[in-house]
Amino acid sequence: MAEYGVDLDALDQVVKELNHVLKQMGDETSTAESSTYLPQGVLGEGFSEVSELYGAHAQVKADINKMMKRVEGLIDTFGKKSAKVRDAYQDAEADNSMNMK
């Protein structure tokens, strides 16, 4: 019968790195939300496309924010699942060591 091993330290590292990515994404999401302000008049005034440009900017900003939140959600889900897998393997390893005694 073949035995398989799981590197719990590697799973720990995956969870730590995903949490770090989430923290960085939070900073980037905040930047995307607050640092992309386009004040009225900055693109000029008195031409027919001005409202279209502001509308396009608002739409792109909303799309970026939506994508950032989706990516954050995926990373968070993967991190939580990775932590659960790590915990399950650790528990199984502890159970196996107790059963062998």
Side-chain angles (χ1 to χ4, degrees):
M1 183 166 119
E3 288 190 34
Y4 298 95
V6 175
D7 187 346
L8 296 179
D9 291 333
L11 279 171
D12 273 340
Q13 189 62 32
V14 167
V15 172
K16 286 178 189 173
E17 289 180 18
L18 288 171
N19 286 335
H20 180 70
V21 169
L22 274 179
K23 182 191 175 307
Q24 287 181 313
M25 286 203 65
D27 294 344
E28 297 305 321
T29 300
S30 176
T31 297
E33 179 63 35
S34 61
S35 296
T36 55
Y37 176 65
L38 192 59
Q40 290 295 323
V42 77
L43 297 176
E45 295 178 9
F47 61 98
S48 60
E49 295 87 357
V50 72
S51 62
E52 187 178 339
L53 287 171
Y54 284 110
H57 173 267
Q59 184 60 53
V60 168
K61 181 177 177 176
D63 290 345
I64 289 170
N65 288 332
K66 186 177 176 181
M67 284 186 277
M68 293 290 284
K69 290 189 185 316
R70 289 186 76 186
V71 170
E72 280 180 327
L74 288 170
I75 292 171
D76 186 48
T77 298
F78 186 70
K80 287 176 181 173
K81 287 182 178 182
S82 297
K84 283 182 183 180
V85 167
R86 187 233 178 266
D87 292 345
Y89 275 112
Q90 184 177 28
D91 291 346
E93 194 173 85
D95 289 345
N96 286 338
S97 68
M98 290 181 139
N99 290 337
M100 296 181 110
K101 290 183 181 182

